């Protein structure tokens, strides 16, 4: 069975960013997450991480196209 929820450590490893950067993505709302347990640990649904990655690809493509248009 595939893992539904990821820890912030998992997210930081997948995105190859620091734990602080993963936490910042969650706290800013850029990456939807939930808090669970008595210690209020963050969990990110795997599908939300995939949506975030796709959104970042789309934003990067749009920015690249706009930069190319400005140069011509």
């Amino acid at each position: 069975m595939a893992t539904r929820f990821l820890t912030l450590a998992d997210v930081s490893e997948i995105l190859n960013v620091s734990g602080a950067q993963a936490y910042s993505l969650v706290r800013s709302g850029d990456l939807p997450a939930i808090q669970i347990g008595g210690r209020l640990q963050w969990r990110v649904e795997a599908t939300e991480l995939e949506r975030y990655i796709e959104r970042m690809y789309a934003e990067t493509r749009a920015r690249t196209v706009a930069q190319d248009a400005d140069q011509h």
Side-chain angles (χ1 to χ4, degrees), residues 11-22:
V11 170
S12 65
E13 183 177 329
I14 291 166
L15 295 178
N16 196 28
V17 298
S18 71
Q21 288 171 311

Side-chain angles (χ1 to χ4, degrees), residues 4-66:
R4 180 175 178 180
F5 290 98
L6 305 168
T7 64
L8 289 185
D10 296 331
V11 170
S12 65
E13 183 177 329
I14 291 166
L15 295 178
N16 196 28
V17 298
S18 71
Q21 288 171 311
Y23 179 72
S24 178
L25 288 171
V26 166
R27 293 292 295 166
S28 70
D30 286 339
L31 179 59
I34 58 172
Q35 282 187 305
I36 61 166
R39 301 178 109 201
L40 297 176
Q41 297 179 30
W42 289 100
R43 294 294 183 269
V44 176
E45 199 162 359
T47 56
E48 290 295 339
L49 180 58
E50 288 304 316
R51 283 188 199 113
Y52 170 79
I53 292 168
E54 288 301 317
R55 220 171 36 250
M56 292 302 99
Y57 272 119
E59 287 179 17
T60 301
R61 276 191 299 272
R63 190 171 44 249
T64 302
V65 168

